[in-house]
Structures are given as C-alpha cells and as structure tokens.
Amino acid sequence: MFHEEILRLINLHHEGSYWDFKKQWYSDKCDLLHDIICMANNLENRDAYIIVGIDEENNFRFIDVSKDSNRKNTQMLVDFLKDKKFVGGTRPSVHVEILDYGVATIDVIVVENSYNTPFYLAERFQQIQANSIYTRIQDTNTPIDISADINNVEYLWKKRFHMIDTPIEKFRYYLLDKDNWSQSSGEDHLYYNLYPEYSINFEQDERDGYEYYFFNQCNHNPHWGIIQLKYMSTSLLEFSGIGLDGFNYFTIAPEFGYFHLDGSHLNENTIYFKYFVKGSLPYIIHNFYYRSPYNDKYAHDRFIESILIFDSKMEFENFKYYAEQNWLTFKYDKSADIKPYLQEIEGLKMESFDKEWDNFFKLKHMLQTFRNENQL
C-alpha cells in the first residue's frame, strides 16, 4: 500500500533516485518547479515522490504540515504548472497525497510517470533556463544552471518513443491506438497495422459460470473466452473475456479484489469485489474492445455501473486499506440502490449473488466518501 511504501522510504534514512524529502512546503517557486521537473524526468521509469514533512537533519523526524502556510493541494499545483511554458505544451502530471501517521500529517507530491519525457521549459522561469533538460541521478538533481548529461537526455527521448519498452509495455501503447488495428481471419483475430507482429486473439471457452454483474444485463446468460496478447507466435499474456447481453457486447473480465476483516483470513470475513484501475492493462483492453463491432452502449454502460473504477493504482491500494478499516462501522443511505432482478437458476445459490450486490453498493458509497475525505 502507498502509505507503507512511503514509510519504507522514510525508514531508509536517505534520499534516492525517485524520492526526495522536504522539512516543509516550498516558499520558493523556482525550487518547487525545478524539483518537479527533475522528478518528472527521473531515470527509473516510474512515479516519483517529494515527501513533505520529514526533517532529514533531525533523524528523519516527522513534521506536521497541516498548518503550513505554503501548503498546496493538487489543484494548486496543477494551476502552478499550467502557466509555465513547457516545450510542446506538455507538463508533468502531479497530485498530492495526504498521509496521517498519527504523530503527524505529511504530504507527498506524486510526480506521475509519463512517456512525454523529457519535460523542459520553452521560456526561462527565474533561474530555470529555457531548453535545459534536468533529471535526477541517485539522490541529486541536475544543477539549475546546467543541462543533464547527453546519455541521460538520450534515455529520456528513447522513453518518449517507446524504444526502451518490453513487448508487453509496447502492447499497452499500441492498444491505445485502436483505430490502427485490423481484422485477420475473422473478427476474433486483430493485428496492429504499423507492427503486424503484435496481435490480439479471442477464443471461446466452455465455461458457464455466472458473476453477479451478469444479472444487470437484459440477457444474463454467461459467455466466456480467452483473450491472448501475442507477439509473433508467442503468447505474452492471457485474460478472461466475457460476452454480455447475449454476446451483444464483449470485453475483458474485471479484476478480482478482496480484503479481510479483523485480520482474519476466513472466507466468511473476506469481502470480494470486481474492479478496473484506469491506465492498467486490463482497463486499456476493456476500452480497446469498446469499438465496432463490440460497441453495444447499453450493455457497456450496465456493465460499468456494476463494478468499481479506480482512478489509479494508488487510489485502489489506499481505498482497500480504508474499506478494511471502516467496513464494520460505515453507514450509508441505501434508498437509491436498485438491485437487478435475480432470477432463480437451478444449481446456483442466488443468495450469494444477492450478497455480492449488497457489498458492491456499500463499496461504491464508501469509495465516494473516501474521495470526499481525501480532498485537501
């Protein structure tokens, strides 16, 4: 979980190639911008963290930032970056995570990983030079008065053009370009026009199991299959596919999540749920298949309203912890929840699906409350 990852970094008692510590919030806008650019151009190909509220000079002690006069929330940082002149108009994406460790509240500026590297200014801002590329090597930012070494600049450009990606990482990128895919040997086999060695296949499977969200469709009969991501003749990954509403709509099956209550690992104290995380490979595949001839909007919308959609992996991890801690005490208004009709099916325990719907509605309300509580 995110709060555990940050605590682990703090306990290392040193900075690193993708994390930095600040005792308090920035009073100098130039320092803030320089640090964000360096972190956005980190060489680890991952999110980076500026952890505000840690005193390095005093044994990495926690400093409460809740009353810091220079404190900023996500929108304030977005607005701060918006009026800076970046080359190509692409700016780093950032957001603020608030973490309460009991002894103090600290903030983490999350500089999100991006393929738009390198980020650099088209116009000078205070001491930050135009057209200078800054990055971070180990625990040190590129000095503000020089540009990064050429080999590091080359790496950032290669990252932009996906030259450092593995075949699976390239799949993520190519599936976003869904208009450049064509059918071959029927609609069950699709290949990428620009690089035909990348293909996505679907094979029907004999499973007949039900999931609770099937009952939110006009035709709730199950249709299952296997989605294969292939590079040349190699199958890289396989996922379960589902045909909904009598196969009027096809997509990838949602991911499976769970958490345990009271630290128990017994089934009766485990809450299960289905979800997607935006930006994840399953979510990208889900969006990829929402296209002709798999474009039944009604079935798509009924499916999406039956599962949880998280904005990021970080939100998913933090919410799971929140739900586990608050499940037994959480109260909400159930009057607006409309459960689909659960037709009796021989051999199935319909009360299990009824319970899953109850859990889904509760989790949906909890997610909204969680988001409201985490707005700075």
Side-chain angles (χ1 to χ4, degrees), residues 7 25 29 36 39 55 92 125 130 175 187 189 215 218 244 290 321 330 369:
L7 187 59
W25 271 89
K29 294 180 179 180
I36 288 176
M39 287 297 188
D55 186 355
F125 176 76
L175 289 171
E187 64 184 36
H189 178 86
F215 294 96
C218 292
L244 297 175
Y290 189 43
Y321 178 78
F330 185 79
T369 301

Side-chain angles (χ1 to χ4, degrees), residues 67-88:
K67 301 249 186 330
D68 193 322
S69 60
N70 294 309
R71 193 182 191 195
K72 290 179 172 55
N73 59 24
T74 297
Q75 189 58 54
M76 293 166 72
L77 283 181
V78 169
D79 292 341
F80 169 72
L81 294 172
K82 190 180 297 183
D83 64 359
K84 307 301 180 292
K85 305 296 184 181
F86 281 86
V87 170

